[in-house]
């Protein structure tokens, strides 16, 4: 097997400022890692404007190129466990994951950054990707983040945000006016900006709630479709809200210590049923008011693995890999991700093949 361990760390990586202004100036890099690059399954949004290549290129320009590493969520850790169904979602979906007693899970915690050496307290968002492997061979893959909404509702707006964050070749830094100007021109970003004003880097992956953000449909045996959004909510709240400590690499260490000391970590899979007025095509809008929430079961994570050699290493956590009984919605961001994930995967695979020592992380 090829040695894919990460290359040596830089001697020093400066920490980001705690000020809101600098947070907003760097939000493009954060957002890039949250949703990945976007492109429709056929490979383009508009042949005249936006392609998977253009999106991956702008991510590389903003984050730097780290051969063999994921272009987004470059720093992470594999987790292994299973899902125990409560059967509460069974009337809404024929997906086996909601009726089987136990479904194996391979997941990955990560930071939303294209920099594999980013300090853990550099951004206020954590992510969790999961692959459920059903006994019938079908899979459910999902990527979730610890923010309540996405900043924008369209791939075009996402790309414009990345362009606003692109460094000026003359200075090596983004134009400080570009990102604020983008937000001023996009009022749909207000809910996200309101959240990020008070968001702080957490001290643990284990105490975060991870939100799917995009809408999907559950489909039952009668063919009835119910629009939903889902989240996984931690059972343990012992350190919820704790400020992140100093240092670059505390999250993975905390996760391992918790597993060794207390055993498996648990989250409740909560599925929110949409009301008729709830938008399914705009991840920048929250579903406000009381909604029925299903306790679909319990996610149990038992162990960690190094990301460069663990089971999560070669999994592309494409959210459109869905089993029968779950369908994608009309959200353009959701529908857009598959082709660019594939494009990025092929790019990283080629890099690993070309490296003589191949001492890198394998592709997403």
């Amino acid at each position: 097997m090829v040695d894919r361990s990460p290359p040596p760390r830089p001697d020093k990586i400066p920490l980001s400022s705690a000020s809101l202004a600098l947070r907003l100036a760097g939000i493009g890099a954060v957002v890039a890692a949250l949703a990945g690059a976007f492109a429709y399954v056929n490979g383009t949004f508009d042949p005249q404007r936006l392609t998977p290549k253009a999106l991956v290129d702008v991510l590389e320009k903003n984050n730097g190129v780290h051969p063999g590493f994921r272009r987004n969520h470059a720093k992470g850790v594999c987790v292994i466990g299973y899902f125990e169904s409560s059967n509460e979602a069974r009337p809404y979906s024929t997906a086996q994951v909601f009726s089987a007693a136990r479904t194996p899970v391979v997941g990955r915690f990560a930071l939303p950054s294209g920099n594999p050496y980013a300090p853990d307290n550099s951004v206020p968002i954590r992510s969790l990707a999961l692959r459920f492997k059903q006994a019938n061979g079908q899979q459910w893959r999902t990527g979730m983040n610890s923010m309540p909404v996405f900043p924008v509702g369209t791939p075009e707006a996402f790309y414009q945000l990345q362009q606003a964050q692109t460094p000026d070749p003359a200075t090596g830094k983004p134009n400080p006016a570009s990102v604020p100007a983008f937000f001023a021109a996009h009022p749909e970003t207000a809910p996200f900006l309101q959240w990020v004003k008070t968001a702080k880097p957490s001290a643990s992956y284990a105490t975060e709630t991870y939100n799917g953000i995009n809408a999907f449909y559950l489909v039952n045996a009668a063919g009835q479709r119910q629009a939903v959004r889902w989240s996984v909510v931690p059972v343990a709240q012992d350190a919820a809200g704790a400020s992140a400590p100093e240092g670059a690499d505390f999250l993975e260490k905390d996760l391992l210590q918790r597993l060794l000391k207390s055993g498996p970590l648990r989250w409740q899979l909560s599925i929110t049923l949409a009301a008729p007025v709830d938008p399914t095509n705009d991840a920048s809008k929250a579903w406000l008011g009381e909604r029925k929430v299903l306790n679909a079961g319990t996610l149990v994570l038992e162990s960690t693995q190094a990301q460069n050699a663990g089971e999560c290493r070669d999994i592309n956590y494409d959210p459109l890999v869905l089993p029968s009984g779950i369908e994608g919605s009309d959200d353009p961001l959701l529908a857009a991700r598959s082709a660019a994930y594939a494009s990025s995967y092929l790019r990283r695979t080629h890099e690993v093949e070309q490296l003589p020592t191949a001492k890198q992380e394998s592709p997403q």
Side-chain angles (χ1 to χ4, degrees), residues 313-354:
R313 183 187 66 185
D314 298 321
I315 297 175
N316 173 6
Y317 288 99
D318 180 345
L320 288 183
V321 175
L322 301 167
S324 299
I326 307 177
E327 296 178 355
S329 70
D330 55 347
D331 186 333
L333 298 181
L334 177 65
R337 291 162 67 176
S338 290
Y341 273 12
S343 176
S344 181
Y345 181 95
L346 292 173
R347 192 176 295 199
R348 292 189 291 270
T349 300
H350 178 74
E351 289 169 353
V352 171
E353 290 175 349
Q354 297 301 311

Side-chain angles (χ1 to χ4, degrees), residues 48-234:
Q48 304 303 316
R49 292 192 297 153
L50 196 53
T51 67
K53 181 181 182 301
L55 285 161
V56 175
D57 285 348
V58 76
L59 294 176
E60 290 183 350
K61 188 178 295 184
N62 292 354
N63 296 314
V65 178
H66 304 278
F69 280 91
R70 299 172 187 247
R71 286 336 191 236
N72 299 292
H73 301 272
K75 183 180 184 180
V77 57
C78 298
V79 283
I80 307 299
Y82 57 90
F83 176 74
E84 293 180 330
S85 173
S86 68
N87 288 323
E88 198 167 316
R90 191 171 183 176
Y92 296 89
S93 175
T94 59
Q96 199 175 73
V97 67
F98 298 129
S99 58
R102 180 175 291 193
T103 302
V105 170
V106 176
R108 186 174 186 269
F109 287 108
L111 289 183
S113 170
N115 178 7
Y117 312 111
D120 289 351
N121 60 0
S122 61
V123 289
I125 300 168
R126 281 69 173 102
S127 70
L128 173 60
L130 300 171
R131 184 198 68 183
F132 303 78
K133 192 171 184 179
Q134 299 180 162
N136 62 5
Q138 296 182 3
Q139 296 184 15
W140 174 23
R141 303 184 190 183
T142 180
M144 299 170 286
N145 296 279
S146 61
M147 61 182 185
V149 293
F150 199 69
V152 294
T154 68
E156 290 79 9
F158 170 82
Y159 183 63
Q160 292 165 13
L161 178 53
Q162 295 310 299
Q163 289 180 310
Q165 180 64 14
T166 298
D168 184 332
T171 64
K173 298 179 180 180
N175 183 333
S178 295
V179 172
F182 171 86
F183 285 128
H186 289 268
E188 75 274 18
T189 61
F192 177 79
L193 293 180
Q194 184 63 36
W195 173 81
V196 86
K197 285 179 181 179
T198 57
K200 297 179 181 179
S202 65
S204 177
Y205 283 132
T207 58
E208 288 290 290
T209 292
Y210 299 93
N211 304 303
I213 300 176
N214 303 102
F216 292 80
Y217 286 97
L218 299 185
V219 185
N220 66 14
Q224 297 171 316
R225 301 166 81 237
Q226 170 65 55
V228 300
R229 285 176 175 172
W230 53 67
S231 303
V232 292
V233 182

Side-chain angles (χ1 to χ4, degrees), residues 77-80 109 206 252-267 300-305:
V77 57
C78 298
V79 283
I80 307 299
F109 287 108
E252 185 172 348
K253 294 175 183 177
D254 170 83
L255 193 64
L256 182 58
Q257 289 171 356
R258 286 172 177 270
L259 289 168
L260 291 174
K261 181 179 179 180
S262 304
L265 302 171
R266 289 175 167 81
W267 284 259
V300 182
L301 298 180
E302 300 177 290
S303 62
T304 67
Q305 296 175 344

